[in-house]
Amino acid sequence: MSGNEQDERLACGVEIATLVDQVADGTPPADPEHQATCPHCGPALSEIEELWGRVRELAREEVVTPEQLARRIIRRIRQDVTARRLEVPLEAVVPRLLRHALFHSERGTTRIADAVVAEIVSGVVREVPGVHSLGGGLADALQAGIPVGATTEGVEVEVGGERVAVHVRLVVRHGASIARVANAVRASVIRNVAAVTGLEVAEVNITVEDVHVGGG
Amino acid sequence: MVFETQDSHAVRAAQAGNVDAFGELVQRHRTAVYRVALRMLGNPSDAEDAAQEAFVQAWRALPTFRGESSVATWLYRIVVNRCLNVLGAQEPADPVAETLEAPASGPNHIVEVRGELEALKLAVTRLTPEQRAPFVLRELEGLSYEEIGEVLEISLPAVKGRLHRARLEVLDAMRSWR
């Protein structure tokens, strides 16, 4: 829309953008002598200054956090903790061959269990529009009852060093573009896993197992 | 920052499974996390959801927190990502609604009805998500360019470039109300 505004200059040759940054960042002028006397810079600066006052006002506006927010968060987390205690009997009984991603630093090593990554992937994928659910299809039927290592339903994660490969099986909503959903899933997994864990996602393989027809 | 030492104690305790210690982190950072979500998304109910999800995600990801950035930066990163997810999900959904509504609810109309601060909030939510995140973090949260680079995991020149375009967009919007 406004792609060429960077090039906009005042009659004196000064870029408007420079003045904007000067006001917004509160930095001293690049050329104080020029600005002090220039008939173009002066008015432009005061206009920007006046407009920018509103941005500062917005920054000062007090935002009231919803009263119950903290309590709700803690409640969710307690549920999370309880659910996990109930739901992971396998590792609890038999020490599983834990697979970890590894970060080495001078002051020690960080390990991230693949299950943690799988959990993150699972949460993120469910939120992509067009995804109906995770898992589903023949593979689930075949695997029913067979305990699989570090997987969350429909998600498998392989870790190696600081890299991770993700396999996702999912059911797409009827009417959604499968290609678009798959791309969105891939992008979202790569971005979120990197943001939260620092691991590099080497690949995201997606299998669409089924299409869900009907409401919801 | 005063919080930092307190934070690292709380983080260690929370990493060991202490939910109350995590609660401390929530108390200290909830306002900032919610505020960012509100500015990014533009409405309180979406913001509340995003803030809540961000903290739950942070709890789950605690084992991966390596203390290389401050807790505040880490939480900013998580909540901004949640917001980008939400925005990514909205964008392709209603290009039609956007064009239909534009004449009635555009900034000019809002300026008359609710004043310039509300119009400015709206102008912020009309920035592309890519520009909006650095704008909110810099102009409304007061983060440094370096901190923004850490939060968004982009280079310093990229921070400057996006912020720069965002500023010009917002200025343009404000000019158009006169």
Side-chain angles (χ1 to χ4, degrees), chain B residues 16-108:
Chain B
N18 183 336
V19 178
D20 291 331
F22 190 76
E24 255 181 67
L25 294 174
V26 174
Q27 286 297 348
R28 273 204 287 275
H29 296 282
R30 70 193 158 135
T31 308
V33 167
Y34 173 73
R35 199 170 50 215
V36 167
L38 182 64
R39 297 311 186 207
M40 287 286 293
L41 301 175
N43 82 75
S45 75
D46 287 351
E48 193 172 344
D49 284 352
Q52 182 173 326
E53 288 307 315
F55 276 112
V56 172
Q57 198 181 353
W59 165 261
R60 290 182 183 160
L62 262 179
T64 71
F65 179 72
R66 293 181 281 159
E68 283 168 5
S69 51
S70 70
V71 173
T73 304
W74 183 60
L75 289 173
Y76 273 129
R77 187 182 305 149
I78 293 174
V79 71
V80 167
N81 260 289
R82 306 249 18 130
C83 293
L84 293 176
N85 290 352
V86 173
L87 294 169
Q90 282 171 354
E91 240 177 0
D94 55 347
V96 181
E98 186 81 21
T99 42
L100 289 179
E101 279 171 23
S105 67
N108 288 320

Side-chain angles (χ1 to χ4, degrees), chain A residues 124 181-193 204 206, chain B residues 85:
Chain A
V124 159
V181 171
N183 284 337
V185 165
R186 189 168 286 116
S188 186
V189 167
I190 291 171
R191 190 173 67 227
N192 283 281
V193 169
V204 181
I206 298 164
Chain B
N85 290 352

Side-chain angles (χ1 to χ4, degrees), chain A residues 16 23 64 67 100-101 119 125 128 142 145 164 171 177 184 195:
Chain A
I16 294 178
V23 171
V64 182
E67 224 175 286
H100 290 100
E119 193 81 36
V125 172
V128 173
L142 290 174
V164 49
V171 178
S177 148

Side-chain angles (χ1 to χ4, degrees), chain A residues 2 5 17 21 24-25 47 50 54 61 65 72-73 76-78 80 103 127 191-192 195-196, chain B residues 20 22 39 48 53 60-61 64 66 81-82 85 116 121 138 145 164 167 169 172 175 178:
Chain A
S2 31
E5 53 199 358
D21 286 348
D25 286 329
E47 192 226 4
E50 191 201 325
R54 282 191 213 118
E61 189 190 56
T65 324
R72 238 174 273 146
I73 291 166
R76 274 278 305 277
I77 286 168
R78 290 203 194 280
D80 210 57
F103 290 100
E127 285 176 355
R191 190 173 67 227
N192 283 281
V196 178
Chain B
D20 291 331
F22 190 76
R39 297 311 186 207
E48 193 172 344
E53 288 307 315
R60 290 182 183 160
T64 71
R66 293 181 281 159
N81 260 289
R82 306 249 18 130
N85 290 352
E116 296 190 334
K121 288 178 195 169
R138 172 72 194 166
Y145 285 49
H164 197 77
R167 283 170 172 170
E169 291 284 345
D172 262 5
R175 272 196 199 105
R178 313 204 120 184

Side-chain angles (χ1 to χ4, degrees), chain B residues 16 18 21 32 48 55 66 69 71 77 100 119 128 131 136 140 149-150 152 154 162 170 176:
Chain B
N18 183 336
E48 193 172 344
F55 276 112
R66 293 181 281 159
S69 51
V71 173
R77 187 182 305 149
L100 289 179
T128 64
Q131 294 174 7
V136 168
L140 305 180
E150 252 187 83
L152 300 178
I154 56 176
R162 291 184 196 182
V170 169
S176 73

Side-chain angles (χ1 to χ4, degrees), chain A residues 150-166:
Chain A
T151 61
T152 306
E153 195 187 4
V155 178
E156 251 179 280
V157 169
E158 299 170 55
V159 288
E162 301 192 6
R163 287 155 66 84
V164 49
V166 176

